[in-house]
Amino acid sequence: MLFRSEPSTANRPVGRRHLVAAILVSLCLVAILAATMPYARTPTRNTEMVLPAYAAATFLLEVITSALLFALYNVRRSAPLLFLASGYLFSALLVPAWVLTFPGVFSAWGIEPGLQTTAAIAAVRRLSFPLFVLGFALAPAQRGLRLGGRAMVAPTILGVLALAAGILLAILSHTEILPTFMRDGRHVDTLWRYVPMLALLLYGAGIAVLFARRRSQLDIWVCLVLFSLMIEILLISYLGGAIRLSVGWWAGRLYGLAAASIILLVLLSETTAVYARLSRTVAAERRARQNRLIAMEALSASIAHEINQPLASMVTNADAALRWLVRPEPRLDRAEAALRRIVDDGHRANKVVSGIRTMFMKGTQERCALDLNALAEDAVRAASTEAREEGIAIETDLAGDLPPVIGNAVQLHQVLSNLIENGIDAVKSTAERGRRLVVRTRWEANGEVQATVEDNGPGIDPEVAGRIFDPFVSTKPSGMGMGLMFCRTVIEAHGGRQWASANFPRGAVFHFALPAAILPGSDVELEP
Amino acid sequence: MSEQSVVYVVDDDRSILASLESLLSSEGHAVQTFESGPAFLAAKRLDLPACLVLDVRLRGASGLEFQRELVLRGIMTPVVFITGHGDVPMSVAAMKAGAIEFLLKPYRDQDLLDAVHNGIEQDRRRRAQDSRMAELRERYGAMTPREREIMPLVASGLMNKQIATILQLSEVTVKVHRAQIMHKLRARTLADLVRIADRIATDTAEA
């Protein structure tokens, strides 16, 4: 699955980088061509012995390229790849026959076929490859085409094998009626002139179609292949004077070799890159899973502590109440106080549990258009009793023109409550007069709705400033370190941002921003 | 009981503090609660046999670190640890550092009360011993250098004549010193003196 989603040469769009690389390589090829030109017609002696090595190299390169392309087709299931793979396979299959029949190479073994055989095979190979490439260029690339299917690989290979065998058989068994391409072992006849012309035409057509379409990086590299083949044929048939085993002829052969290697090199480097990416992804996933596991362990330990604490307090209070009651002179007031604390502890434990539920349970995905002002007012009202008891004033400064936001009411309410509660805890720890909290909402020019909770408490300790939104980081004695982490998780899940800053002259400001459901300046009203 | 001892509770959770305060005072203990270690150290503590109930998980320094701090400051009050999530290494460390009990929350009230009771008794014994020792030191301090020189010799069972020979004094002088020593250390018999001398020797060796 991972592999499939990985973009590769065969379907990645053409990037500037690849285009530039391909053009640079073709310029190099032209430069080498220019350098060879003056010596192109010089004949070489006794170079026939190199020919089998050249043929073996070409054969292997083309077979491996075709195997890789068939493998790629198995993954991608795109018809063009099938054409290209077949082209390479067909071309490769003709190579052994070509070199075996080459005049003077294997004469020691007694192989001495007719003069025209090698040329006929060369002509078929020369003209068939660009036809396959044209098939590659013109075949529709859409998936879902009925050509897609694993079963297509075997029939295609069998078909190509049969075609190659049939053509070779025809040529070898009817050597006498073959067209006269060659005058002698080294020089071509006039009829041969049409072969390179036709080949050049086909190469040109292939390059034109591929370059015009440029569906993927592979197209660009195939263009380069055709370009190399063009230079090959120019060297062999025109500059080299169509003389076999001349310097130009050999230089052309080298271009042929280059042409055969281009796609192979591209595919191999692609494969290596894919494997590297794959192993990196796997390692990263394993790390992430490990981290999640550690976080879950720490989280459950923290939750256990957070619930155990009120439980311990409840048990102790209940024990104390019983003891106050069974004394010789029962102290009802003390027993009552202990029972009241049990009630408080029960609520506290419940708060922990419902906090966890808001954070993890179902229903948190339900979203609707919300008025943040109303949520803020609710949260302030809920906190006002505690604030009054502590002598803390909570002021509100809510924007009148606030657009709605899309979100989950329970979660956003919890976020505001957490921030207000944090603010109360912060100012509670200062003894100074004028302890207060300000809750503001604003509509920002960038289309975000922003809410802030300002306190004039001691401010954020610079030591933990960078980590306050991390889990289990708390500056409060009984803090679980989950509140701000929860807030940020919720806000980010709503497509918003959350951050903290310093208040002036002292204290902290906690901000969060959510995307507005309508754009600023638009007068579209949502249903209330 | 409340007048003769006090229980200190240090826990950063206010509701736990309130519940412990109630439980301990229902048994007649005088209780003082603190929300942090530094608050305990800063407070003026009573000069009474005491026991300290300490939460392992405290803001800032942990309870175990706070226990070490107490030892460093020479505060010998016995410590009863309470914790929400105890593990074996943690309890071993606490007991090694001199804690008398390590209780897991939620603990059984009787376990806690027993531990506190034991702690107070241990402290009471230590204080009594300390005060006896202090008295002895005072008496020892009242002796002259010559008397301090003669005391270990008497305690080791030497006769006056032998002591006189060793120190090159007259036997009468030794006899007078000996009477002074017995009087100052309030020892009635030689056996008393031997015991007192022994304790003083241990004390000076420790100091």
Side-chain angles (χ1 to χ4, degrees), chain A residues 140-415:
Chain A
Q142 287 93 352
R143 235 183 255 188
L145 195 77
R146 277 302 94 198
L147 264 170
R150 190 168 293 259
M152 285 307 294
V153 174
T156 308
I157 292 176
L158 283 177
V160 172
L161 282 173
L163 187 66
I167 288 176
L168 285 175
L169 212 65
I171 291 175
L172 292 173
S173 58
H174 299 93
T175 41
E176 66 289 346
I177 59 156
L178 288 174
T180 46
F181 290 123
M182 301 300 293
R183 201 144 33 91
D184 57 47
R186 291 218 166 188
H187 299 88
V188 294
D189 209 344
T190 39
L191 184 59
W192 175 263
R193 277 194 312 206
Y194 297 106
V195 175
M197 262 156 64
L198 205 54
L200 278 175
L201 266 175
L202 288 171
Y203 292 156
I207 290 177
V209 173
L210 285 171
F211 201 78
R213 290 192 152 189
R214 263 181 294 175
R215 293 164 305 188
S216 67
Q217 289 171 14
L218 191 60
D219 286 10
I220 293 298
W221 294 117
V222 173
C223 269
L224 194 60
V225 170
L226 292 180
F227 187 66
S228 309
L229 289 172
M230 262 178 141
I231 296 180
E232 181 190 16
I233 206 132
L234 280 173
L235 276 166
I236 291 177
S237 300
Y238 298 108
L239 298 169
I243 304 164
R244 275 183 178 165
L245 305 177
S246 63
V247 170
W249 192 88
W250 272 115
R253 290 293 155 203
L254 288 181
Y255 278 92
L257 214 53
S261 354
I262 288 171
I263 298 297
L264 182 63
L265 289 177
V266 168
L267 287 176
L268 284 181
S269 69
E270 177 75 16
T271 311
T272 316
V274 165
Y275 272 110
R277 266 203 301 278
L278 203 64
S279 66
R280 266 203 303 281
T281 315
V282 168
E285 275 205 350
R286 192 174 304 142
R287 258 198 315 280
R289 200 161 42 236
Q290 194 65 29
N291 288 347
R292 269 200 302 279
L293 216 65
I294 293 168
M296 280 315 292
E297 269 171 26
L299 180 65
S300 42
S302 176
I303 289 170
H305 174 83
E306 212 48 27
I307 292 177
N308 203 29
Q309 206 67 358
L311 264 177
S313 175
M314 284 163 92
V315 171
T316 310
N317 274 317
D319 285 332
L322 284 172
R323 285 176 186 272
W324 288 117
L325 289 175
V326 299
R327 274 153 70 108
E329 62 287 355
R331 288 281 303 273
L332 293 182
D333 55 334
R334 300 295 305 255
E336 189 194 336
L339 290 172
R340 281 194 193 288
R341 283 196 298 271
I342 294 179
V343 174
D344 289 344
D345 287 331
H347 285 306
R348 186 175 143 198
N350 174 258
K351 223 163 141 186
V352 175
V353 172
S354 65
I356 294 165
R357 188 177 293 139
T358 341
M359 202 159 144
F360 296 115
M361 298 301 162
K362 281 189 287 185
T364 50
Q365 297 308 312
E366 289 161 20
R367 304 275 167 92
C368 58
L370 297 169
D371 178 9
L372 204 60
N373 281 345
L375 285 177
E377 275 165 4
D378 267 0
V380 168
R381 202 175 308 121
S384 61
T385 320
E386 192 194 350
R388 229 187 350 264
E389 278 173 8
E390 296 284 344
I392 298 166
I394 305 185
E395 293 166 20
T396 51
D397 171 20
L398 307 177
D401 60 344
L402 208 63
V405 292
I406 304 292
N408 180 278
V410 181
Q411 281 189 326
L412 289 180
H413 182 269
Q414 191 69 43
V415 168

Side-chain angles (χ1 to χ4, degrees), chain B residues 95-108:
Chain B
M95 300 306 279
K96 267 192 179 163
I100 58 167
E101 193 66 84
F102 196 91
L103 297 170
L104 281 181
K105 291 180 194 174
Y107 34 77
R108 284 189 31 227

Side-chain angles (χ1 to χ4, degrees), chain A residues 309 323-324 327 341 348, chain B residues 13 15 22 26-27 109-110:
Chain A
Q309 206 67 358
R323 285 176 186 272
W324 288 117
R327 274 153 70 108
R341 283 196 298 271
R348 186 175 143 198
Chain B
D13 189 319
S15 68
S22 185
S26 76
E27 284 300 295
D109 58 344
Q110 200 54 55

Side-chain angles (χ1 to χ4, degrees), chain A residues 95-153:
Chain A
V95 170
W98 174 76
V99 74
L100 280 171
T101 57
F102 202 93
V105 177
F106 285 95
S107 45
W109 294 4
I111 302 176
E112 205 60 74
L115 194 58
Q116 310 303 334
T117 317
T118 313
I121 295 171
V124 170
R125 190 165 168 263
R126 181 71 61 200
L127 297 178
S128 65
F129 186 72
L131 286 174
F132 278 110
V133 171
L134 275 174
F136 162 74
L138 295 170
Q142 287 93 352
R143 235 183 255 188
L145 195 77
R146 277 302 94 198
L147 264 170
R150 190 168 293 259
M152 285 307 294
V153 174

Side-chain angles (χ1 to χ4, degrees), chain A residues 25-38:
Chain A
V25 175
S26 25
L27 285 178
C28 285
L29 295 178
V30 172
I32 298 169
L33 166 71
T36 349
M37 263 200 282

